[in-house]
């Protein structure tokens, strides 16, 4: 149980294009999902908290218009990197919080984005 | 301030031996949760073990145990009988209440290398 999928796992795009990343909780409902960014050899940095049916809450320093988050259902959240630039290249990883038991966050496998 | 500290950037352990990964935390909350995640080179974050602040007994999950010392604010991970597949990054995290919501705060991680 508690499986989170993420798609795509890899994406290479040209500068200026937009990229959409999907995060799905497969066997549980998640009213809250989280989006993280991780640079090489560093820890995870929380970008935003995605709430089903309401606007996402962004961390300080994260551009809302740059990183669009939509949490359309209890099992799906999407992150769209708009007008991507090379500095947006990173590892993006989502998590979903299982409200049962320990409120553990279960993570997706991550998406590696390379912007050329 | 809410903070997680992992002071060991890298650790070596001989296969089949036990290893302890250190984690200290700082919080003013009375109720909090502590997690350990494993991140292999593939990038996925694998949930290992959880300890609640009110749990009286140390958490155990198979070969993983959490040495929880509340007064010292430490939550060290002990891996017994190390296996080659245990080589990975390990992150300690704390569920903390921030800005009216619960978030995970991560430490900087410890890279564990198991020697054959």
């Amino acid at each position: 149980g508690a499986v989170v999928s993420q798609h795509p796992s890899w994406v290479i795009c040209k500068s200026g294009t937009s990229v959409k990343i999907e995060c799905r909780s497969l066997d549980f409902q998640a009213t809250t999902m989280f989006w993280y960014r991780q640079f090489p050899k560093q820890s995870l940095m929380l970008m935003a908290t995605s709430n089903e049916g309401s606007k996402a809450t962004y961390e300080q320093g994260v551009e809302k218009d740059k990183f669009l988050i939509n949490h359309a259902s209890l099992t799906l959240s999407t992150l769209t990197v708009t007008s991507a630039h090379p500095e947006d290249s990173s590892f993006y990883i989502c998590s979903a919080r299982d409200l049962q038991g320990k409120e553990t966050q279960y993570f997706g496998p991550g998406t590696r984005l390379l912007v050329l | 301030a809410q903070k997680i500290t992992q002071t060991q950037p890298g650790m070596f352990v001989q296969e089949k031996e036990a290893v302890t990964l250190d984690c200290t935390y700082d919080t003013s909350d009375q109720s909090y949760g502590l997690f350990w995640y494993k991140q292999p080179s593939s990038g996925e974050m694998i949930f290992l073990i959880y300890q609640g602040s009110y749990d009286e007994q140390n958490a155990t999950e198979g070969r993983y145990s959490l040495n929880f010392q509340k007064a010292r604010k430490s939550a060290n991970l002990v891996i017994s009988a190390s296996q080659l597949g245990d080589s990975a990054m390990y992150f300690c995290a704390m569920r903390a209440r921030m800005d009216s919501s619960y978030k995970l705060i991560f430490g900087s991680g410890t890279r564990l290398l198991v020697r054959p």
Side-chain angles (χ1 to χ4, degrees), chain A residues 23 29-35 46-59 68-79 95-97 99 105, chain B residues 97-103:
Chain A
C23 178
Q29 293 183 333
T31 55
T32 304
M33 291 184 174
F34 302 87
W35 287 96
L46 179 64
M47 299 175 63
T49 302
S50 172
N51 303 296
E52 188 267 338
S54 64
K55 291 182 178 180
T57 304
Y58 290 82
E59 295 301 301
L68 299 179
I69 291 172
N70 183 28
H71 195 149
S73 74
L74 289 173
T75 59
L76 173 64
S77 175
T78 60
L79 168 68
S95 71
R97 193 172 77 199
L99 294 180
Q105 282 190 30
Chain B
R97 188 166 180 83
M98 300 174 68
D99 302 327
S100 303
S101 65
Y102 285 100
K103 302 176 183 178

Side-chain angles (χ1 to χ4, degrees), chain A:
Chain A
V3 178
V4 177
S5 70
Q6 203 171 325
H7 178 80
S9 55
W10 264 103
V11 59
I12 301 173
C13 68
K14 292 182 179 180
S15 185
T17 59
S18 293
V19 175
K20 181 185 281 188
I21 303 170
E22 291 186 350
C23 178
R24 293 181 185 273
S25 58
L26 298 185
D27 51 2
F28 65 101
Q29 293 183 333
T31 55
T32 304
M33 291 184 174
F34 302 87
W35 287 96
Y36 295 84
R37 184 174 181 176
Q38 186 180 30
F39 291 105
K41 297 185 180 181
Q42 293 190 21
S43 188
L44 278 71
M45 181 191 76
L46 179 64
M47 299 175 63
T49 302
S50 172
N51 303 296
E52 188 267 338
S54 64
K55 291 182 178 180
T57 304
Y58 290 82
E59 295 301 301
Q60 193 172 11
V62 178
E63 298 177 57
K64 301 178 183 181
D65 296 332
K66 177 74 172 176
F67 299 100
L68 299 179
I69 291 172
N70 183 28
H71 195 149
S73 74
L74 289 173
T75 59
L76 173 64
S77 175
T78 60
L79 168 68
T80 301
V81 183
T82 62
S83 186
H85 289 95
E87 57 266 30
D88 298 325
S89 298
S90 189
F91 185 62
Y92 294 88
I93 189 166
C94 71
S95 71
R97 193 172 77 199
D98 184 356
L99 294 180
Q100 303 297 320
K102 305 162 185 175
E103 294 196 28
T104 300
Q105 282 190 30
Y106 294 95
F107 286 81
T111 297
R112 295 189 188 278
L113 171 64
L114 177 61
V115 185
L116 301 176

